[in-house]
Amino acid sequence: MDFGVVLQTNPPAWRTVGLAKQAEEHGFDYVWTFDSHLLWQEPYVIYSAILAETHRVIVGPMVTNPSTRDWTVTASVFATLNEMYGNRTVCGIGRGDSAVRVLNGKPATLKEVREATHVIRELGSSRSAEVNGATLQFPWARDSRLEVWQAAYGPLALKTAGETADGYILQLADVDIARWMIGAVRKAAEDAGRDPDEITFCVAAPAYVGSEDQRAHMREQCRWFGGMVGNHVADIVARYGSGSDVGAVPEALTDYIADREGYDYNQHGQSGNTHAAFVPDDIVDRFCLLGTPEQHIAKLTELKELGVDQFAVYLQHDNKEETLRVYGESIIPHLRDHVTAKA
């Protein structure tokens, strides 16, 4: 299993770069960031600094969207970074949440996600793509290679990911929901004639390491995540209904938003988000990884057995450096494939 860390690009930018360097030092493989240009600093500028000051971590957005950035510009950024620093980028993409809603916009359609995935991947991989009736290609990109991973929750979005994405991002760590969603993506891939084993499966969620008597504090530090996920769940409920009416979507994912009354994007992704009070404790426990190193290892082992290839730690709480240290020293080694010097 690979490991990633998800950062917000809060100023100062050097702080984000510093956390990325610490993540690499502690054995993490990926450094992801939010991509919401009004709420935080521009991530693609910061990626360049991260890549310049690290050696092997792969960087990318979790996640960008097809609406706020021209697809060819997005592809050009990734191809440029790859040409400068080697192929050390990945593009996470979804329909869009805070980046578009702060602008009073709407999430992109799945058709747009599908088409953007193709254009960004092809141009970012030094190949040509059809855009607005023209065949385009970067004449300066020779060795760039880029994968595009899609974030999805709803049935049609999962189908799109299975049919078109190089990787699937699930932004919650509930084992039962992960089993259902990964299965849906794999089935869609098989139905489309793809090998589902070629899709990378990434689960992303807050992780906080502490003793059991610290659980109340850990929950409050991570409750914001259930509120963020609730934005996407609300879209699913609006489209498919609620509870058992949703049909295929697990009720554990949809029922908890019954008391949701709104959301303030000025507090998006922040500990202490006042619009996340509706999220019950059991959802925080299910969606996140909280507790001792042994409890983290046990849940990550379950996710690994489901076929999860990467766990990405959302690091939006008051224990950032210690979480990186404990993961590097006490958790990541248990989830790696072990190789002995002498058989």
Side-chain angles (χ1 to χ4, degrees):
M1 179 181 274
D2 288 336
F3 286 83
V5 61
V6 187
L7 306 173
Q8 287 175 342
T9 53
N10 291 306
W14 59 259
R15 168 73 164 143
T16 305
V17 177
L19 286 170
K21 292 170 66 176
Q22 288 185 55
E24 181 177 71
E25 290 167 1
H26 288 298
F28 286 78
D29 309 284
Y30 286 74
V31 173
W32 304 88
T33 72
F34 286 60
D35 178 7
S36 196
H37 59 288
L38 283 171
L39 297 180
W40 303 290
Q41 292 181 321
E42 175 60 33
Y44 297 93
V45 177
I46 297 173
Y47 293 159
S48 189
I50 292 173
L51 290 168
E53 297 194 30
T54 56
H55 303 281
R56 60 176 184 78
V57 290
I58 295 170
V59 303
M62 188 177 282
V63 293
T64 193
N65 68 84
S67 301
T68 56
R69 301 180 188 275
D70 181 274
W71 306 346
T72 62
V73 174
T74 298
S76 180
V77 169
F78 284 111
T80 300
L81 291 173
N82 284 340
E83 292 289 330
M84 290 175 66
Y85 301 107
N87 292 311
R88 293 172 56 199
T89 68
V90 61
C91 178
I93 195 168
R95 295 180 60 213
D97 183 26
S98 63
V100 294
R101 295 188 199 269
V102 170
L103 297 171
N104 291 332
K106 295 181 179 180
T109 66
L110 290 174
K111 180 176 183 292
E112 290 170 326
V113 172
R114 182 185 296 265
E115 292 174 352
T117 294
H118 175 75
V119 169
I120 294 169
R121 177 172 52 220
E122 295 307 295
L123 293 179
S125 296
S126 308
R127 298 189 291 262
S128 64
E130 297 293 320
V131 182
N132 296 329
T135 301
L136 305 178
Q137 187 169 354
F138 300 135
W140 44 265
R142 311 181 82 175
D143 300 312
S144 176
R145 297 293 179 268
L146 179 68
E147 290 191 352
V148 181
W149 299 7
Q150 291 177 12
Y153 293 104
L156 292 178
L158 296 171
K159 182 174 183 291
T160 300
E163 291 174 348
T164 64
D166 299 299
Y168 167 57
I169 298 170
L170 171 58
Q171 291 162 303
L172 57 82
D174 181 274
V175 175
D176 293 333
I177 294 174
R179 180 182 294 107
W180 181 83
M181 292 192 169
I182 290 172
V185 172
R186 292 182 66 88
K187 182 179 185 304
E190 290 174 349
D191 291 345
R194 302 182 67 196
D195 181 356
D197 290 336
E198 294 183 357
I199 299 174
T200 301
F201 291 93
C202 173
V203 164
Y208 199 119
V209 182
S211 59
E212 195 58 35
D213 60 5
Q214 295 175 296
R215 182 164 293 270
H217 177 73
M218 292 188 287
R219 283 172 174 161
E220 290 311 310
Q221 286 290 304
C222 299
R223 197 177 304 276
W224 66 268
F225 184 67
M228 185 187 80
V229 173
N231 297 329
H232 302 283
V233 175
D235 287 342
I236 295 172
V237 171
R239 181 179 180 91
Y240 297 98
S242 61
S244 60
D245 295 334
V246 180
V249 181
E251 292 183 24
L253 180 61
T254 59
D255 286 357
Y256 85 95
I257 68 164
D259 295 327
R260 180 180 183 269
E261 296 180 350
Y263 192 84
D264 182 1
Y265 279 94
N266 289 310
Q267 301 181 53
H268 188 60
Q270 296 180 13
S271 295
N273 185 330
T274 59
H275 289 75
F278 71 92
V279 181
D281 288 348
D282 69 302
I283 288 294
V284 181
D285 291 344
R286 291 181 66 170
F287 284 13
C288 306
L289 272 76
L290 312 177
T292 64
E294 292 76 18
Q295 289 171 313
H296 285 246
I297 291 168
K299 191 167 185 178
L300 288 168
T301 299
E302 288 188 84
L303 291 169
K304 183 177 180 180
E305 290 172 351
L306 291 181
V308 174
D309 301 294
Q310 179 185 156
F311 176 65
V313 177
Y314 274 96
L315 209 61
Q316 286 68 54
H317 53 58
D318 63 1
N319 205 33
K320 295 178 177 62
E321 286 85 353
E322 183 66 3
T323 297
L324 293 176
R325 184 192 70 79
V326 175
Y327 258 74
E329 294 181 3
S330 303
I331 297 174
I332 290 177
H334 287 273
L335 279 300
R336 297 291 199 196
D337 292 330
H338 294 284
V339 177
T340 57
K342 183 177 180 179

